[in-house]
Amino acid sequence: AILSIWLMFQMNLPYAVGSLAIMVFIYIYISKYNTDKAGLARLFKGVIFQLSRQLQVYVQKRDYNNPDQYWRPFTMCVTKHSFERRDAYDMMRWLSQRYGFGTYIHFIEGYLSKQTHKETKKVMKKLLKMGEGSKSKVYMDTIVSPSYTSALAQTMQLSGISGKGHNLLLFEYSRSSPEDLAEIVNNYAMFQATGFDVCILGSSFRHFGYKKEIHIWVSSRDYENSNLMILLSYILLGHKEWGEGIIKMFSVYPKGKEENQKERLLHLIKEGRLPISPSNIDLIAQGEEESVKSIINKHSSDADLTVIGFQSELVKNKNTEIFKGYDDLGNILFVNSINEKEIS
């Protein structure tokens, strides 16, 4: 197109200027004085729709026949607190800015009826307005369902509009009013059955603070979670709102066993299981009277986001207790990876 315009001016300057002036005049006239503008809008909308449909089918076929070697987040979040707390939505738009895709669904409890259908229209307008204000690239929608469990069961079976299926579920609860946490934990067996990675965001009144420091607590016994924790943290730093942020990594070891812990971590790093340098991890000794949670509270009290891994077996045995006891921290992202992630 640029070359064609350049050739126009090279061939005949007056005709080129006159042609462009006529095209601009016609465009302004149609835009301003044509009372039925739907025709032009419908034309471009149809073209975009067809192009989008072809791309979705292409990506779906390519993913089936030749799956990506490296993991990237195709995240889904289902919540009824869209307009009360923004932390989950912010996390979604940061994760989907460059490297992945986000689907954010507002849950309306009830049965589908004329009244609830009207409510979805109102909520959708508010969601789109929220998206425009933050310039996000998150796809937003609503769902009406009798319970949170049924809403999750329905949405988890949906294929993503990106042409690829979802692989990461993001949940959020308020640590000052943790009623939603029990509902999330009660449905954990369903998440495991479908093979999703799970992130649970425990939000606080501090929100994400100044977006300066992300603290990651890694463990040699939990390297599968550690890879996903590191990957998500670096994706966050790729967003301009975290542009001046830094990542700090910590690992706790029993007092007197520092060499054993170092040896295990070095072994995982050399094998490529942990994509970090040994010099980037602060090893912290655990005293006999100290708990891991108290150590994390002490060292990450000023962090804007603390990333902690958790294991599925502990959810079954200890229920919501594994997410409690971090009273001195700001926002916490609890991460459980269904398998080890390869980071390029």
Side-chain angles (χ1 to χ4, degrees), residues 290-305:
E290 282 186 306
S291 67
V292 174
K293 289 184 179 181
S294 66
I295 295 173
I296 295 176
N297 277 318
K298 179 180 178 181
H299 287 83
S300 295
S301 58
D302 295 328
D304 298 303
L305 176 65

Side-chain angles (χ1 to χ4, degrees), residues 19-230:
S19 299
L20 290 175
I22 291 171
M23 286 190 288
V24 170
F25 172 77
I26 292 173
Y27 176 79
I28 293 173
Y29 178 82
I30 291 175
S31 301
K32 189 174 182 180
Y33 297 104
N34 183 19
T35 56
D36 184 15
K37 299 175 184 173
L40 196 62
R42 191 182 298 116
L43 171 65
F44 287 105
K45 185 177 180 181
V47 171
I48 292 171
F49 173 78
Q50 290 295 333
L51 178 62
S52 174
R53 187 170 67 93
Q54 293 295 330
L55 287 174
Q56 285 177 317
V57 173
Y58 168 77
V59 170
Q60 187 182 47
K61 289 180 178 178
R62 182 182 180 278
D63 186 51
Y64 179 79
N65 295 318
N66 184 25
D68 291 339
Q69 184 178 0
Y70 300 112
W71 184 92
R72 62 182 61 217
F74 287 85
T75 316
M76 181 176 66
C77 178
V78 182
T79 179
K80 56 184 175 183
H81 300 291
S82 303
F83 310 113
E84 300 166 26
R85 301 192 293 266
R86 290 282 300 273
D87 291 1
Y89 175 72
D90 285 338
M91 181 65 70
M92 288 286 292
R93 64 187 181 86
W94 293 332
L95 292 178
S96 58
Q97 177 70 14
R98 294 182 182 178
Y99 303 103
F101 196 90
T103 302
Y104 185 89
I105 300 177
H106 181 85
F107 165 54
I108 299 171
E109 189 170 356
Y111 292 92
L112 189 59
S113 63
K114 186 176 182 179
Q115 183 62 34
T116 55
H117 182 66
K118 286 183 179 179
E119 187 178 351
T120 61
K121 298 295 184 183
K122 293 179 182 178
V123 169
M124 196 63 199
K125 285 183 180 179
K126 293 176 70 176
L127 288 173
L128 293 174
K129 188 176 181 180
M130 184 171 71
E132 289 175 0
S134 61
K135 298 180 181 179
S136 78
K137 297 181 180 179
V138 178
Y139 176 78
M140 293 183 285
D141 209 339
T142 61
I143 185 169
V144 178
S145 195
S147 69
Y148 188 61
T149 301
S150 61
L152 285 173
Q154 292 175 60
T155 53
M156 286 166 62
Q157 297 178 72
L158 297 175
S159 60
I161 67 164
S162 63
K164 296 172 68 72
H166 299 106
N167 56 17
L168 176 65
L169 295 175
L170 175 67
F171 300 97
E172 184 265 351
Y173 72 97
S174 170
R175 300 214 325 271
S176 58
S177 303
E179 296 83 7
D180 295 326
L181 179 59
E183 203 167 24
I184 295 168
V185 171
N186 289 339
N187 289 292
Y188 201 82
M190 182 168 62
F191 313 150
Q192 280 191 294
T194 48
F196 283 93
D197 297 315
V198 177
C199 289
I200 301 176
L201 178 64
S203 59
S204 69
F205 68 95
R206 289 163 53 180
H207 304 291
F208 291 100
Y210 298 104
K211 304 179 185 70
K212 296 292 185 183
E213 283 192 19
I214 299 175
H215 288 191
I216 306 175
W217 290 83
V218 300
S219 169
S220 60
R221 298 184 299 271
D222 194 24
Y223 65 87
E224 290 183 353
N225 287 339
S226 298
N227 274 15
L228 182 56
M229 291 155 60
I230 294 167

Side-chain angles (χ1 to χ4, degrees), residues 275-290:
I276 50 180
S277 169
S279 60
N280 291 336
I281 303 179
D282 287 338
L283 292 175
I284 301 170
Q286 179 184 4
E288 293 181 2
E289 302 296 326
E290 282 186 306

